[in-house]
Amino acid sequence: MTVVGLACYGVAAWLLLAGSVGIVRSRHLVHTVVSLSVAQAGTYVLLLGIGYQRGAGAPIVAQDQRQPVVDPMVQAMTLTDIVVSATITAVLLALTIQISKRHGTVDPDELRALRG
């Protein structure tokens, strides 16, 4: 395994861990959503680390037909992951706004007290 591959796995694990710690320790719903986005960024780096090949060309513009090419499926999955992450973040922020309007707070501990 190359240094680039190990670095990608290390960064992906660090982002996932930092995002997870942020979610667990959060005292604000917007902070929770941002921490989730950080954790999801770890999946982008992980997918790109999996698809990395040293000396491989782009699958469309490979000059030599014998040259190894990068698997385009990993790139497509990463792009899909980015789009889904942006959508989830938008929905969660919209829900946070609605919670703030209805209950006047975005502190999860205060929202638990509303259950009755």
Side-chain angles (χ1 to χ4, degrees):
M1 180 160 294
T2 65
V3 175
V4 175
L6 290 175
C8 284
Y9 292 133
V11 169
W14 184 83
L15 284 170
L16 185 62
L17 180 66
S20 298
V21 168
I23 290 169
V24 170
R25 296 183 46 97
S26 177
R27 296 290 174 239
H28 197 279
L29 291 178
V30 175
H31 183 264
T32 304
V33 172
V34 171
S35 297
L36 179 65
S37 295
V38 169
Q40 287 175 337
T43 62
Y44 314 152
V45 177
L46 179 65
L47 285 171
L48 292 175
I50 290 170
Y52 175 76
Q53 291 181 1
R54 171 171 271 179
I60 297 174
V61 293
Q63 301 296 332
D64 184 12
Q65 296 300 323
R66 295 171 298 205
Q67 177 187 9
V69 294
V70 178
D71 184 14
M73 187 64 184
V74 177
Q75 296 169 9
M77 287 173 45
T78 304
L79 182 59
T80 303
D81 191 16
I82 291 169
V83 171
V84 169
S85 173
T87 305
I88 289 172
T89 301
V91 168
L92 289 176
L93 288 175
L95 286 172
T96 302
I97 290 170
Q98 291 301 314
I99 289 170
S100 176
K101 285 181 182 178
R102 287 187 184 212
H103 300 290
T105 184
V106 289
D107 185 7
D109 291 333
E110 292 178 20
L111 290 172
R112 287 189 188 122
L114 295 174
R115 282 192 212 167

